[in-house]
């Protein structure tokens, strides 16, 4: 992969692709849900795409995640929202040349991540998650900080064929390995053939895999990506999720980052680690002489995250299923609390000296869009720095055992979380009205779709009894 700190020219990118005998280039980027949308183009067409961008219909911004329906723009809506009334015109996918990489599990194929732009004036599409994160990172830069982050992603591998599991009940899903093996090295070796293949492909793909282990659920993995600047780290996580799905499918498996695939399985998380460096490159979270060695900057950063955690929950937990994960002793963040190396809180502080001291946001699930989860955590922290928000006291005990009435409990449903996001002045300040209003409408459509669905649980409980 080309070093993300240097921007190659179009001619340099083309020269490398020709030298690698690349025949096909994937041009794609994230939608609201975190799904990659784009096209494959022959190498002969790439020079034109690099110069002018690649036209794509804007309808994908209003598709349900399963593409079963489209969300209509309400009458009187003022913000950016694709609609059939305008015929779903084209937007432009504009390749980011710093993201070039060869795709090792496809023949003669490379990939470039794209930003979405409006053709008339080349402004970023205001609801695009990568652009939302970029704006937050730019505000951090203007404040004199370089944000660094890393994401830990959990997923299940199932002995299922991609594209067919929608016909199955949850209790019919077959995991890669029936017995769980948390951090297992011996039992975990039963998963190692596919684990080794995934790691090798990810490393060849230019993704900074730091560690891999079996997790608590049957056939569940956790793979940690090494930290880097926050936009690149979100790129890495986004690419990782789509890559794991492709590699699994090629091996007749299905990979899922769904927050809670089966009731009695452990949930999939996406913990976000964050730190800041100053303009000289020094860490700003560690202070040897401060109480608990936590700097004032860290306290205010944590205070902002805790202050906005309820309002930003819908970005961390984007589906109704996300909230199935929020139960005691799930190791998911269920309260706006913090503590040093305490995994029962919502925000865990990891104290490792000048450069290693950081916070870990434990609320987001594997189903979160990595760009939006990073943007929400970072924006919350920066909001705390700007407003010098003091956090509540550090928690030193098991939060799950505490009475809920004594704690700032996070939303328990998507409906509650979406209402909080809609009314959040901080969300509108950091992410923009266009993004917030569009996201809220998309999630309310998801809630409406769930409300009329008859579930397996309902059939099992009521079919004969009633």
């Amino acid at each position: 992969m080309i070093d993300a700190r240097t921007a190659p020219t179009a001619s340099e990118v083309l020269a490398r692709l020709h030298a690698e005998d690349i025949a096909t280039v994937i041009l794609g980027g994230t939608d609201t849900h975190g799904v990659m949308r784009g096209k494959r183009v022959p190498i002969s067409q790439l020079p034109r795409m690099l110069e002018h961008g690649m036209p794509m219909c804007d309808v994908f911004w209003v598709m349900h995640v399963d593409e079963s329906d489209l969300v209509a723009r309400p009458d009187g809506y003022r913000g950016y929202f694709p609609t059939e009334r305008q015929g779903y015109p084209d937007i432009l996918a504009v390749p980011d040349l710093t993201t070039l990489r060869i795709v090792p599990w496809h023949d003669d194929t490379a990939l470039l991540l794209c930003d979405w732009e409006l053709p008339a004036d080349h402004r970023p599409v205001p609801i695009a998650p990568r652009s939302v994160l970029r704006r937050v990172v730019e505000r951090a830069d203007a404040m004199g900080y370089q944000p660094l982050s890393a994401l830990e992603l959990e997923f299940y591998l199932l002995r299922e064929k991609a594209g067919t599991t929608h016909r199955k009940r949850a209790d019919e899903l077959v995991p890669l390995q029936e017995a769980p093996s948390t951090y297992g090295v011996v039992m975990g070796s039963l998963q190692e053939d596919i684990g080794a293949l995934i790691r090798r492909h990810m490393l060849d793909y230019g993704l900074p895999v730091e560690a891999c282990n079996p997790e608590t659920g049957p056939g569940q993995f956790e793979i940690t990506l090494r930290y880097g600047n926050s936009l690149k780290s979100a790129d890495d996580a986004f690419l990782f999720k789509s890559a794991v799905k492709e590699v699994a499918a090629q091996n007749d498996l299905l990979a899922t980052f769904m927050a809670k695939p089966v009731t009695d399985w452990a949930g999939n998380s996406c913990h976000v680690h964050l730190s800041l460096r100053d303009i000289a490159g020094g860490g700003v979270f560690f202070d040897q002489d401060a109480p608990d060695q936590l700097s004032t900057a860290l306290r205010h950063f944590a205070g902002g995250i805790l202050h906005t955690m309820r309002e930003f929950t819908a970005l961390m937990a984007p589906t109704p299923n996300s909230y199935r994960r929020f139960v005691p002793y799930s190791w998911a963040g269920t309260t706006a609390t913090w503590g040093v190396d305490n995994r029962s809180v919502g925000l865990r502080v990891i104290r490792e000296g000048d450069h290693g001291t950081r916070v870990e946001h434990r609320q987001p699930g594997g189903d979160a869009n990595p760009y939006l989860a990073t943007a929400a955590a970072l924006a919350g922290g920066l909001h705390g720095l700007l407003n010098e928000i003091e956090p509540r006291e550090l928690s030193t005990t098991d939060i799950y055992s505490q009475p809920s009435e004594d704690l700032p409990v996070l939303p328990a449903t998507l409906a509650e979380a979406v209402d909080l996001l809609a009314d959040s002045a901080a969300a509108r300040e950091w992410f923009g009205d266009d993004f917030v209003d569009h996201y809220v409408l998309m999630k309310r459509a998801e809630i409406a779709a769930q409300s009329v669905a008859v579930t397996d649980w309902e059939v099992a409980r009521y079919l004969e009894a009633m």
Side-chain angles (χ1 to χ4, degrees):
M1 174 184 166
I2 290 176
D3 190 333
R5 294 169 297 181
T6 60
T9 64
S11 60
E12 289 171 336
V13 166
L14 291 167
R16 180 186 172 190
L17 294 176
H18 286 299
E20 299 269 5
D21 292 325
I22 296 299
T24 302
V25 180
I26 301 168
L27 301 179
T30 184
D31 69 1
T32 301
H33 307 294
V35 176
M36 186 181 291
R37 306 290 179 183
K39 299 180 182 181
R40 284 174 165 83
V41 302
I43 189 67
S44 61
Q45 298 301 309
L46 187 60
R48 180 168 59 88
M49 306 295 183
L50 295 182
E51 183 175 358
H52 301 293
M54 180 180 69
M56 276 187 61
C57 175
D58 69 2
V59 69
F60 67 85
W61 292 117
V62 295
M63 294 190 306
H64 284 249
V65 67
D66 65 350
E67 304 187 25
S68 60
D69 203 356
L70 302 178
V71 179
R73 174 175 173 161
D75 291 336
Y77 189 90
R78 291 182 171 273
Y80 177 88
F81 200 98
T83 173
E84 75 280 358
R85 300 169 207 171
Q86 297 170 335
Y88 295 119
D90 282 342
I91 56 175
L92 294 176
V94 178
D96 180 342
L97 300 185
T98 68
T99 66
L100 176 66
R101 62 197 67 220
I102 308 303
V103 184
W105 56 91
H106 291 310
D107 294 334
D108 309 322
T109 300
L111 176 140
L112 281 163
L113 281 176
C114 297
D115 288 304
W116 307 108
E117 293 184 358
L118 301 172
D121 53 13
H122 291 278
R123 286 186 301 114
V125 171
I127 62 176
R130 193 170 191 257
S131 296
V132 168
L133 174 57
R134 180 183 280 110
R135 291 197 297 271
V136 176
V137 170
E138 288 171 351
R139 287 192 68 177
D141 291 341
M143 293 169 63
Y145 298 115
Q146 178 194 13
L148 301 173
S149 52
L151 286 78
E152 298 175 1
L153 288 148
E154 294 175 350
F155 60 95
Y156 280 93
L157 288 180
L158 309 176
R159 297 187 186 275
E160 307 289 348
K161 190 171 180 61
T164 64
T165 54
H166 62 282
R167 304 192 189 106
K168 289 195 168 186
R169 299 195 313 267
D171 60 7
E172 294 178 323
L173 297 175
V174 179
L176 176 65
Q177 178 177 316
E178 292 286 350
S181 180
T182 308
Y183 294 130
V185 175
V186 177
M187 285 295 293
S189 65
L190 300 176
Q191 301 178 191
E192 177 54 12
D193 285 349
I194 186 64
L197 179 65
I198 289 172
R199 292 197 306 275
R200 183 167 69 250
H201 277 324
M202 297 307 107
L203 291 168
D204 290 344
Y205 197 34
L207 298 182
V209 172
E210 188 172 70
C212 171
N213 60 272
E215 259 296 338
T216 304
Q220 188 182 33
F221 287 82
E222 178 182 72
I223 292 186
T224 303
L225 300 175
R226 186 163 176 76
Y227 74 89
N229 77 68
S230 287
L231 183 61
K232 180 183 180 299
S233 292
D235 284 342
D236 290 343
F238 172 66
L239 290 168
F240 175 84
K241 291 177 73 171
S242 62
V244 167
K245 286 178 172 289
E246 288 196 66
V247 173
Q250 287 184 350
N251 288 271
D252 296 321
L253 297 169
L254 184 142
T256 181
F257 294 83
M258 181 179 175
K260 191 79 167 177
V262 177
T263 301
D264 57 358
W265 291 3
N268 283 323
S269 70
C270 174
H271 297 155
V272 179
H273 293 246
L274 271 169
S275 65
L276 298 178
R277 291 185 183 170
D278 59 24
I279 197 166
V284 302
F285 281 175
F286 181 76
D287 183 345
Q288 182 70 49
D289 300 321
D292 299 299
Q293 299 179 325
L294 307 182
S295 71
T296 299
L298 186 149
R299 291 186 60 82
H300 290 160
F301 193 85
I305 291 177
L306 298 174
H307 180 75
T308 58
M309 196 177 276
R310 284 176 50 80
E311 298 171 22
F312 292 177
T313 290
L315 303 175
M316 303 298 197
T319 73
N321 176 263
S322 306
Y323 298 80
R324 305 289 186 262
R325 179 172 154 265
F326 296 147
V327 295
Y329 301 102
S330 62
W331 310 118
T334 59
T335 56
T337 53
W338 72 315
V340 176
D341 204 15
N342 183 342
R343 285 181 168 83
S344 70
V345 298
L347 188 69
R348 172 180 169 233
V349 177
I350 301 166
R351 193 172 46 200
E352 292 182 354
D354 183 44
H355 281 79
T357 297
R358 60 195 185 275
V359 296
E360 178 194 35
H361 201 307
R362 296 183 61 81
Q363 186 187 30
D367 55 352
N369 184 321
Y371 296 104
L372 299 181
T374 305
L378 178 58
L382 296 175
H383 186 73
L385 281 168
L386 279 174
N387 294 282
E388 299 183 351
I389 297 174
E390 284 292 334
R392 59 185 283 123
E393 288 189 9
L394 288 162
S395 299
T396 58
T397 59
D398 173 16
I399 287 295
Y400 294 129
S401 68
Q402 305 300 308
S404 59
E405 59 268 22
D406 297 338
L407 297 169
V409 177
L410 298 174
T413 66
L414 181 60
E416 180 187 0
V418 167
D419 287 346
L420 287 167
L421 180 66
D423 293 337
S424 171
R428 294 182 180 278
E429 175 191 350
W430 286 92
F431 312 133
D433 287 333
D434 278 307
F435 170 79
V436 172
D437 290 337
H438 172 264
Y439 192 87
V440 164
L441 277 174
M442 293 297 291
K443 296 308 167 183
R444 285 180 173 157
E446 191 76 3
I447 295 164
Q450 184 208 25
S451 70
V452 297
V454 178
T455 66
D456 293 337
W457 182 88
E458 291 170 298
V459 172
R461 195 172 185 89
Y462 303 128
L463 187 65
E464 292 188 41
M466 297 299 181

